[in-house]
Amino acid sequence: MSIEINNESGVGVDEERLVALSTHVLAEMGINPLAELSLVVVDEDAMAELHEKWMGEPGPTDVLAFPMDELRPGGGARGEAEGPADPALLGDVVLCPQVAARQAEEAGHSAQDEIELLCTHGILHLLGYDHAEPDEHKEMFGLQARLLEAWREVRSSR
């Protein structure tokens, strides 16, 4: 995997851990190891601008995903083909650590845990998952929980 991270937020984040998490998620999803992903960490003002421009919503949000190539695990649409999907430029996952920190406090877990959840969530959006409909929500959030649990197991075994 080629994972580029650009921290423009002015807030320290564990970049190595985010890259490792992203690598884990993409591998678990069967994405070709030659695929490329960009992680961008921005401040609240930059996130608010992106949120307004692309989603028509005011104020900053926690994560945005900007897919590039149409890519699904296993190639084609989800579950249609066997083997890893073709290499591709997946797109950008944009994270806002200030919003994540507030959400983490409300949820009662660490800011790092929240950023990892948001990063996983953003990657799933790049892979074509959504949560607009109840069945989509159940599938996406179930998969997100399984990926994060597997990640925690990997981290605790080190």
Side-chain angles (χ1 to χ4, degrees), residues 66-140:
F66 298 98
M68 296 296 205
D69 292 343
E70 189 67 25
L71 177 71
R72 301 281 200 263
R78 277 182 251 144
E80 286 183 2
E82 295 298 317
D86 294 331
L89 177 60
L90 299 177
D92 300 330
V93 173
V94 183
L95 302 161
C96 184
Q98 293 93 340
V99 174
R102 285 194 299 275
Q103 291 177 177
E105 189 172 320
E106 292 170 13
H109 56 239
S110 73
Q112 181 65 39
D113 285 345
E114 185 72 12
I115 288 172
E116 290 175 7
L117 180 148
L118 296 171
C119 184
T120 302
H121 188 86
I123 291 170
L124 290 176
H125 275 304
L126 292 183
L127 298 178
Y129 290 88
D130 201 0
H131 47 83
E133 299 297 324
D135 58 332
E136 294 174 334
H137 186 279
K138 182 178 178 182
E139 179 185 19
M140 183 176 181

Side-chain angles (χ1 to χ4, degrees), residues 17-96:
R17 190 163 165 160
L18 279 178
V19 169
L21 167 68
S22 299
T23 301
H24 165 80
V25 168
L26 294 172
E28 289 286 316
M29 295 301 295
I31 302 303
N32 189 300
L34 299 177
E36 298 177 26
L37 169 68
S38 175
L39 302 175
V40 183
V41 184
V42 299
D43 64 22
E44 288 181 284
D45 290 339
M47 184 59 98
E49 285 180 35
L50 291 170
H51 197 211
E52 174 70 32
K53 179 177 182 177
W54 297 105
M55 303 301 289
E57 299 285 335
T61 190
D62 49 9
V63 60
L64 290 170
F66 298 98
M68 296 296 205
D69 292 343
E70 189 67 25
L71 177 71
R72 301 281 200 263
R78 277 182 251 144
E80 286 183 2
E82 295 298 317
D86 294 331
L89 177 60
L90 299 177
D92 300 330
V93 173
V94 183
L95 302 161
C96 184

